Amino acid sequence: GQQLNQSPQSMFIQEGEDVSMNCTSSSIFNTWLWYKQDPGEGPVLLIALYKAGELTSNGRLTAQFGITRKDSFLNISASIPSDVGIYFCAGSPAAGNKLTFGGGTRVLVKP
Amino acid sequence: SAVISQKPSRDICQRGTSLTIQCQVDSQVTMMFWYRQQPGQSLTLIATANQGSEATYESGFVIDKFPISRPNLTFSTLTVSNMSPEDSSIYLCSVEGGAGGEQYFGPGTRLTVT
């Protein structure tokens, strides 16, 4: 099925760094979602975006809904070791519709 | 957001057998979803399960292989039938919980087929 194009596929973080990841789509979405999945757990919703151009924060996380409605980015500021995990973007045309997921960004700690 | 539990949390099964996974939600929800997540991969939707109607399956998934029950607004089951090693995955249920279509996920069931 369709997948969103999420990049990067993986990244290494050093404590205190800011990191960004983004998602692009060939289709328009009316909702953009960002999830984090820790090992052995289900994805946890971090941020939901409902409006083109919207910028929303949740603690050290900031996400934006692209103005074209075909992209979104997530920024993590001042990263800490517990930020390690897999981050997924997802788009939805509307409530009651299925989600389309990105391939995930695996965040790892620099050795 | 809803609190979602799944049973079992993990299982190791022999090929040719079947496993039924349960998903329980702490509030009534209209739409429930079942996903498969193969090792190192993203989430793939298996089917959408609404109470009172037949589940709607995505391309590549069939009812004979993945029968789903949705007897009420807080519970659903997914059966993985006639299992093969290729069915080894994490199976996740989710519920829709917001005005924009956001979904909340259970902790997943990690299935290994030998």
Side-chain angles (χ1 to χ4, degrees), chain A residues 31 35 37 42 50 95-96 98 102, chain B residues 37 42 58 96 99-100 102-103 106-107:
Chain A
T31 299
Y35 291 89
Q37 187 175 29
Y50 305 107
K98 59 187 179 183
Chain B
Q37 186 177 27
S42 185
E58 296 299 302
E96 189 175 82
E102 55 267 41
Q103 293 179 19

Side-chain angles (χ1 to χ4, degrees), chain B residues 38-61:
Chain B
Q38 293 178 305
Q41 302 294 313
S42 185
L43 286 77
T44 300
L45 182 65
I46 297 171
T48 302
N50 291 340
Q51 196 267 337
S53 61
E54 293 288 322
T56 302
Y57 289 83
E58 296 299 302
S59 175
F61 298 96

Side-chain angles (χ1 to χ4, degrees), chain A residues 13 15 36 79-85 109:
Chain A
I13 60 170
E15 191 162 353
K36 183 185 181 217
S79 55
I80 60 177
S82 62
D83 290 332
V84 163
V109 175

Side-chain angles (χ1 to χ4, degrees), chain A residues 5 8 10-12 14 21 24 30 35 37 40 42 47 52 55 62 67 74 78 80-81 86 89 94 102 109 111:
Chain A
N5 186 16
S10 63
M11 63 167 63
F12 288 91
Q14 195 151 39
M21 59 197 77
T24 59
N30 290 312
Y35 291 89
Q37 187 175 29
I47 293 179
L55 188 72
T62 302
I67 199 74
L74 176 71
I80 60 177
I86 305 176
C89 62
V109 175

Side-chain angles (χ1 to χ4, degrees), chain B residues 30-91:
Chain B
T30 302
M31 301 191 74
M32 294 180 78
F33 304 86
W34 285 98
Y35 289 84
R36 181 174 73 183
Q37 186 177 27
Q38 293 178 305
Q41 302 294 313
S42 185
L43 286 77
T44 300
L45 182 65
I46 297 171
T48 302
N50 291 340
Q51 196 267 337
S53 61
E54 293 288 322
T56 302
Y57 289 83
E58 296 299 302
S59 175
F61 298 96
V62 294
I63 187 171
D64 289 346
K65 175 68 175 176
F66 297 101
I68 287 171
S69 79
R70 183 76 202 274
N72 57 52
L73 290 172
T74 63
F75 187 77
S76 179
T77 66
L78 169 76
T79 299
V80 186
S81 302
N82 188 25
M83 288 183 284
S84 67
E86 292 72 34
D87 294 320
S88 297
S89 291
I90 300 171
Y91 291 85

Side-chain angles (χ1 to χ4, degrees), chain A residues 77-106:
Chain A
S77 62
S79 55
I80 60 177
S82 62
D83 290 332
V84 163
I86 305 176
Y87 293 78
F88 291 101
C89 62
S92 172
N97 286 265
K98 59 187 179 183
L99 297 182
T100 300
F101 279 86
T105 296
R106 188 177 296 268

